[in-house]
Amino acid sequence: MRISFCCPSMESQPWLEGLRAALPQAEVAPWASGAAPADYALVWAPPQQFFDEQPQLKAAFNIGAGVDALLPLRVPSKTVLARLEDAGMAVQMAEYVCHALIRHFREFDAYAEQMSLGQWQARAPHMRADWPVGIMGLGVLGKRVAKAVAAFEFPVLGWSRSQHAIEGVRCYAGQAQLDDFLSACKVLVCLLPLTPDTRDILNQRNLSRLQPGGYVINVARGAHVVDDDLLALLDSGHLAGATLDVFHTEPLPDAHPFWRHPKITLTPHISARTLRQETIAQIAAKILAFEHGQALSGIVDLQRGY
Ligand code: NAP
Ligand code: GLV
């Protein structure tokens, strides 16, 4: 069996070594134009040429959860496309979102400022019942985040395409229930895939439906946000702040107003990193399952966009 590695932005050597150790029977090689035909591939933002030259691929495994970089590509019709399912990302996402939420809710930035000025002063506590946290996207990552937020006893709401039933989470589904969901939230966490339906979803219309003093945590994709709408709602005071991990252009351009906005906390797309060992273990298991004719989970539906 031949496995090709086509992740142009990543250092290939540790991946090749890990794959060879996990699947000693496989011939593993980095992809380059003209490479021998492979049975399977690990991909992250591959060029169109990769799929054009590998029409025989049985399956391509995206080494991230989001497949938006693959949506514009023509993938050979017989190639199964699978994405990463958790592989160590869900717990990272849970800790990132809980950190951002609690940092804001407990006013840790204000305390840091006060203490740096030598001011010993307690602030009035907030009531968590007044801080419902809504999670857009109740997939592998959204569900794990919902569970983590619920453990801190915040009211938790969730919104997805299809109806879900999750203990401790008030679930909403579809466009018809979006406004009811948004108006019941004070904190909004975006964990949607980026698709034609979800692009620009964090816009003026939707964000202004959040409760006054709302807070936005975007850990999905930058193109979910209409940047100017978010800035306007922060400046008007309707939103109290935002924590943003993902951006339209990455790295975030120097001149972007997000860099210097006092109500915005930024991180460089690190909320849930792809972990090499866990990723290789998951994909190696899926390749073996596929070779034995078993159905794979985490298959991407290109029509649906995730
Ligand atoms: P997933 O398991 O596919 O879950 C996607 C969720 O979004 C599902 O609940 C789905 O609804 C819902 N959804 C999709 N389209 C929708 C729509 N039009 N309206 C309402 N709900 C919709 O994905 P995941 O593994 O949780 O990952 C989610 C995203 O996180 C990825 O696509 C990626 O962009 C992002 N991510 C970011 C980082 C980072 O470091 N910043 C790391 C990993 C992932 P159904 O349940 O009804 O299908
Ligand atoms: C990272 O952003 C991913 O989609 O896994």
Side-chain angles (χ1 to χ4, degrees):
M1 157 203 332
R2 275 214 186 93
I3 302 178
S4 178
F5 183 80
C6 183
C7 306
S9 60
M10 303 174 76
E11 195 202 337
S12 58
Q13 202 52 34
W15 286 89
L16 300 174
E17 285 166 14
L19 281 163
R20 286 173 189 138
L23 293 167
Q25 68 277 43
E27 201 181 300
V28 184
W31 178 79
S33 181
D39 301 295
Y40 299 100
L42 273 65
V43 298
W44 182 252
Q48 179 61 52
Q49 191 185 5
F50 167 74
F51 284 119
D52 290 346
E53 290 188 12
Q54 298 282 329
Q56 76 298 327
L57 269 186
K58 296 183 198 170
F61 297 91
N62 187 56
I63 62 170
V67 293
D68 40 293
L70 297 177
L71 296 184
L73 301 183
R74 291 179 308 280
V75 178
S77 55
K78 68 175 179 196
T79 303
V80 171
L81 210 52
R83 68 192 189 79
L84 222 48
E85 298 174 282
D86 186 352
M89 287 191 288
V91 69
Q92 296 179 65
M93 213 41 119
E95 67 195 3
Y96 183 101
V97 170
C98 288
H99 171 86
L101 166 67
I102 292 166
R103 177 174 170 210
H104 180 60
F105 174 67
R106 294 294 306 272
E107 301 189 87
F108 284 126
D109 287 346
Y111 279 117
E113 169 77 8
Q114 281 179 203
M115 296 309 267
S116 74
L117 297 171
Q119 295 171 358
W120 182 278
Q121 188 192 338
R123 305 166 72 87
H126 298 306
M127 298 293 108
R128 67 193 69 231
D130 299 334
W131 285 61
V133 178
I135 297 158
M136 302 180 98
L138 292 173
V140 173
L141 303 181
K143 275 199 190 102
R144 181 67 185 85
V145 168
K147 186 173 147 195
V149 172
F152 287 106
E153 301 178 17
F154 289 92
V156 184
L157 302 86
W159 181 72
S160 50
R161 209 164 71 111
S162 57
Q163 189 66 50
H164 288 253
I166 304 170
E167 202 187 330
V169 180
R170 203 187 326 154
C171 293
Y172 297 77
Q175 207 58 39
Q177 293 183 8
L178 178 59
D179 288 357
D180 287 346
F181 164 75
L182 292 168
S183 58
C185 299
K186 183 154 184 140
V187 177
L188 188 66
V189 179
C190 181
L191 264 167
L192 292 166
L194 181 63
T195 70
D197 290 339
T198 65
R199 183 175 290 274
D200 291 342
I201 196 164
L202 301 180
N203 56 29
Q204 205 278 340
R205 180 200 177 279
N206 289 337
L207 293 178
S208 62
R209 281 171 165 71
L210 296 179
Q211 295 177 5
Y215 196 86
V216 174
I217 300 173
N218 186 23
V219 280
R221 287 292 183 262
H224 286 123
V225 181
V226 179
D227 292 358
D228 287 344
D229 291 3
L230 176 64
L231 288 165
L233 286 161
L234 289 166
D235 291 341
S236 75
H238 181 69
L239 295 180
T243 291
L244 307 175
D245 182 49
V246 284
F247 307 93
H248 281 264
T249 304
E250 296 179 2
L252 185 64
D254 288 346
H256 198 289
F258 284 172
W259 276 112
R260 279 160 290 278
H261 199 287
K263 293 182 176 174
I264 297 182
T265 300
L266 306 174
T267 50
H269 199 143
I270 49 74
S271 51
R273 312 292 307 279
T274 290
L275 303 178
R276 196 169 55 243
Q277 270 187 332
E278 285 85 340
T279 299
I280 289 174
Q282 181 174 114
I283 293 172
K286 286 190 181 188
I287 288 176
L288 293 177
F290 194 89
E291 287 285 295
H292 287 98
Q294 292 162 13
L296 294 189
S297 61
I299 301 288
V300 176
D301 177 342
L302 286 170
Q303 290 309 110
R304 197 177 64 158
Y306 69 101

Coordinates of all heavy atoms in Angstrom, one line a residue, residues 65-66 68 83-84 89 93 137-142 159-162 164 191-194 197-198 219-221 245-246 269-272 304 306, ligand 1:
A65 N -9.9 19.3 11.4 CA -11.3 19.1 11.5 C -12.0 19.8 10.4 O -13.0 19.3 9.8 CB -11.8 19.5 12.8
G66 N -11.5 21.0 10.1 CA -12.2 21.9 9.1 C -11.7 21.5 7.7 O -10.5 21.4 7.4
D68 N -12.8 23.3 4.9 CA -13.1 24.5 4.0 C -12.1 24.7 2.9 O -12.4 25.1 1.8 CB -13.3 25.7 4.8 CG -12.3 25.9 5.9 OD1 -12.3 25.1 6.9 OD2 -11.4 26.8 5.8
R83 N -12.3 13.6 7.5 CA -11.6 14.6 8.3 C -11.2 14.1 9.6 O -11.6 13.0 10.0 CB -12.7 15.8 8.5 CG -13.8 15.3 9.4 CD -14.9 16.2 9.4 NE -15.9 15.8 10.4 CZ -15.7 16.1 11.7 NH1 -14.6 16.8 12.1 NH2 -16.6 15.8 12.6
L84 N -10.5 14.9 10.3 CA -10.1 14.5 11.7 C -11.3 14.6 12.6 O -12.0 15.6 12.6 CB -8.9 15.4 12.2 CG -7.8 14.8 12.9 CD1 -7.2 13.6 12.1 CD2 -6.7 15.8 13.1
M89 N -8.2 17.2 19.8 CA -8.5 18.6 19.7 C -9.7 19.0 20.6 O -9.8 20.2 21.0 CB -8.9 18.9 18.2 CG -7.7 18.9 17.3 SD -8.1 19.5 15.7 CE -9.1 18.2 15.0
M93 N -10.1 22.5 22.7 CA -11.1 23.5 22.5 C -11.9 23.8 23.7 O -12.2 24.9 24.0 CB -12.0 22.9 21.4 CG -12.6 23.8 20.5 SD -11.5 25.1 19.9 CE -11.5 24.8 18.1
G137 N -22.9 25.1 16.5 CA -22.2 23.9 16.1 C -22.1 22.9 17.2 O -21.4 23.1 18.2
L138 N -22.8 21.8 17.1 CA -22.9 20.8 18.1 C -22.3 19.5 17.6 O -22.8 18.4 17.8 CB -24.3 20.6 18.6 CG -24.9 21.7 19.4 CD1 -26.4 21.5 19.7 CD2 -24.1 22.0 20.7
G139 N -21.1 19.6 16.9 CA -20.4 18.5 16.4 C -19.5 17.9 17.4 O -19.6 18.1 18.6
V140 N -18.4 17.3 16.9 CA -17.4 16.7 17.8 C -16.9 17.7 18.8 O -16.8 17.4 20.0 CB -16.3 16.1 16.9 CG1 -15.2 15.5 17.8 CG2 -16.8 15.0 16.0
L141 N -16.5 18.9 18.3 CA -15.9 19.9 19.2 C -17.0 20.6 20.0 O -16.8 20.8 21.2 CB -15.1 20.8 18.4 CG -13.9 20.2 17.5 CD1 -13.1 21.2 16.8 CD2 -13.0 19.3 18.4
G142 N -18.0 21.0 19.4 CA -19.1 21.8 20.0 C -19.7 21.0 21.2 O -19.9 21.6 22.3
W159 N -26.8 25.3 19.0 CA -27.5 25.4 17.8 C -26.8 24.6 16.7 O -25.6 24.7 16.6 CB -27.6 26.9 17.4 CG -28.3 27.2 16.1 CD1 -29.6 27.1 15.9 CD2 -27.7 27.6 14.8 NE1 -30.0 27.5 14.6 CE2 -28.8 27.8 13.9 CE3 -26.4 27.8 14.4 CZ2 -28.6 28.1 12.6 CZ3 -26.2 28.2 13.1 CH2 -27.3 28.4 12.2
S160 N -27.6 23.9 15.9 CA -27.0 23.0 14.9 C -27.9 23.0 13.7 O -29.0 23.6 13.7 CB -26.7 21.6 15.4 OG -27.8 21.1 16.1
R161 N -27.5 22.2 12.7 CA -28.3 22.1 11.5 C -29.5 21.2 11.7 O -30.7 21.5 11.5 CB -27.5 21.6 10.3 CG -27.9 22.1 9.0 CD -26.8 21.9 8.0 NE -26.7 20.5 7.7 CZ -27.0 19.9 6.5 NH1 -27.4 20.6 5.6 NH2 -26.8 18.6 6.4
S162 N -29.2 20.0 12.3 CA -30.2 19.1 12.7 C -30.4 19.1 14.2 O -29.6 19.6 14.9 CB -29.8 17.7 12.2 OG -28.6 17.3 12.8
H164 N -30.6 18.1 17.9 CA -29.8 17.3 18.8 C -30.5 17.2 20.2 O -31.3 18.1 20.5 CB -28.4 17.8 19.1 CG -27.5 17.6 17.9 ND1 -26.5 16.7 17.8 CD2 -27.5 18.3 16.7 CE1 -25.9 16.8 16.7 NE2 -26.5 17.8 16.0
L191 N -18.5 27.4 16.7 CA -17.7 26.1 16.4 C -18.4 25.5 15.1 O -18.6 24.2 15.1 CB -17.7 25.2 17.6 CG -16.4 25.3 18.4 CD1 -16.5 24.6 19.7 CD2 -15.2 24.8 17.6
L192 N -18.8 26.3 14.2 CA -19.4 25.8 13.0 C -18.3 25.5 11.9 O -17.3 26.2 11.9 CB -20.3 26.9 12.4 CG -21.6 27.2 13.2 CD1 -22.2 28.5 12.7 CD2 -22.6 26.1 13.0
P193 N -18.6 24.6 11.0 CA -17.7 24.5 9.8 C -17.9 25.7 8.9 O -19.0 26.3 8.9 CB -18.1 23.2 9.2 CG -19.5 23.0 9.6 CD -19.7 23.7 10.9
L194 N -16.9 26.1 8.2 CA -17.1 27.2 7.2 C -17.7 26.6 5.9 O -17.0 25.9 5.2 CB -15.8 27.9 6.9 CG -16.0 29.1 6.0 CD1 -16.9 30.2 6.6 CD2 -14.6 29.7 5.6
D197 N -23.3 28.3 3.7 CA -24.4 28.6 4.7 C -24.0 29.4 5.9 O -24.8 30.0 6.6 CB -25.2 27.4 5.1 CG -26.0 26.7 4.0 OD1 -26.3 27.4 3.0 OD2 -26.3 25.5 4.1
T198 N -22.7 29.2 6.3 CA -22.3 29.7 7.6 C -21.3 30.9 7.4 O -21.0 31.6 8.4 CB -21.6 28.7 8.5 OG1 -20.4 28.2 7.8 CG2 -22.5 27.4 8.7
V219 N -13.8 30.4 17.5 CA -12.7 29.4 17.4 C -12.9 28.5 16.1 O -12.3 27.5 16.0 CB -12.6 28.5 18.6 CG1 -11.9 29.3 19.7 CG2 -14.0 28.1 19.1
A220 N -13.7 29.0 15.2 CA -14.0 28.2 14.0 C -13.2 28.7 12.8 O -12.1 28.1 12.5 CB -15.5 28.2 13.7
R221 N -13.7 29.7 12.1 CA -13.0 30.2 11.0 C -13.2 31.7 10.9 O -14.3 32.2 11.2 CB -13.4 29.6 9.6 CG -13.0 28.2 9.4 CD -11.4 28.1 9.2 NE -11.0 26.7 8.9 CZ -10.5 25.9 9.8 NH1 -10.4 26.2 11.1 NH2 -10.1 24.7 9.4
D245 N -9.7 33.6 17.7 CA -8.5 32.7 17.4 C -8.3 32.6 15.9 O -7.2 32.1 15.5 CB -8.8 31.3 18.0 CG -7.7 30.4 17.8 OD1 -6.5 30.8 18.1 OD2 -7.9 29.2 17.3
V246 N -9.3 33.0 15.1 CA -9.2 32.7 13.6 C -9.6 34.0 12.9 O -10.4 34.8 13.4 CB -10.1 31.6 13.3 CG1 -9.5 30.2 13.7 CG2 -11.5 31.7 13.9
H269 N -4.6 31.3 15.9 CA -5.2 30.0 15.5 C -4.5 28.8 16.2 O -4.0 27.9 15.6 CB -5.0 29.9 13.9 CG -5.9 28.9 13.3 ND1 -6.5 29.0 12.0 CD2 -6.4 27.7 13.7 CE1 -7.2 28.0 11.7 NE2 -7.2 27.1 12.7
I270 N -4.7 28.8 17.5 CA -4.1 27.8 18.3 C -5.1 27.1 19.2 O -4.7 26.3 20.1 CB -2.9 28.3 19.1 CG1 -3.3 29.6 19.9 CG2 -1.7 28.5 18.3 CD1 -4.1 29.4 21.1
S271 N -6.4 27.4 19.1 CA -7.3 26.9 20.1 C -7.3 25.4 20.1 O -7.5 24.8 21.2 CB -8.7 27.5 19.8 OG -9.1 27.3 18.5
A272 N -7.2 24.7 19.0 CA -7.1 23.3 19.0 C -6.1 22.9 18.0 O -6.4 22.9 16.8 CB -8.4 22.6 18.8
R304 N -22.8 19.1 1.3 CA -23.2 19.8 2.5 C -22.1 20.8 3.0 O -22.4 21.8 3.6 CB -23.3 18.7 3.6 CG -24.1 19.0 4.8 CD -24.2 17.7 5.7 NE -22.9 17.2 6.1 CZ -22.7 16.5 7.2 NH1 -23.7 16.0 7.9 NH2 -21.5 16.1 7.6
Y306 N -19.3 20.0 4.9 CA -18.5 19.6 6.1 C -18.7 18.1 6.3 O -19.5 17.4 5.6 CB -19.0 20.4 7.3 CG -20.4 20.1 7.8 CD1 -20.6 19.3 8.9 CD2 -21.5 20.7 7.1 CE1 -21.9 19.1 9.4 CE2 -22.8 20.5 7.6 CZ -23.0 19.7 8.7 OH -24.3 19.5 9.2
Ligands
NAP1 P1 -18.4 18.7 13.1 O1 -18.3 17.6 14.0 O2 -18.6 18.5 11.6 O3 -19.6 19.6 13.6 C1 -20.2 20.7 12.9 C2 -21.4 21.2 13.6 O4 -21.9 22.4 12.9 C3 -22.6 20.2 13.5 O5 -23.3 20.2 14.7 C4 -23.4 20.7 12.4 O6 -24.8 20.4 12.5 C5 -23.3 22.2 12.6 N1 -23.6 22.9 11.4 C6 -23.0 22.8 10.1 N2 -23.6 23.6 9.2 C7 -24.6 24.3 9.9 C8 -25.6 25.2 9.6 N3 -25.7 25.7 8.3 N4 -26.4 25.7 10.5 C9 -26.3 25.2 11.8 N5 -25.4 24.3 12.2 C10 -24.6 23.8 11.3 O7 -17.1 19.7 13.2 P2 -16.1 19.8 14.4 O8 -15.1 18.7 14.4 O9 -16.9 20.0 15.7 O10 -15.3 21.1 14.0 C11 -16.0 22.3 13.8 C12 -15.1 23.4 13.2 O11 -14.2 23.8 14.1 C13 -14.3 22.9 12.0 O12 -15.0 22.9 10.8 C14 -13.1 23.9 12.0 O13 -13.4 25.0 11.1 C15 -13.1 24.5 13.4 N6 -11.8 24.1 14.1 C16 -11.0 25.2 14.4 C17 -9.8 24.9 15.1 C18 -8.9 26.0 15.6 O14 -7.8 25.7 16.0 N7 -9.4 27.2 15.6 C19 -9.4 23.5 15.3 C20 -10.3 22.5 14.9 C21 -11.5 22.8 14.3 P3 -25.4 18.9 12.5 O15 -24.9 18.3 13.9 O16 -26.8 19.0 12.4 O17 -24.7 18.2 11.4

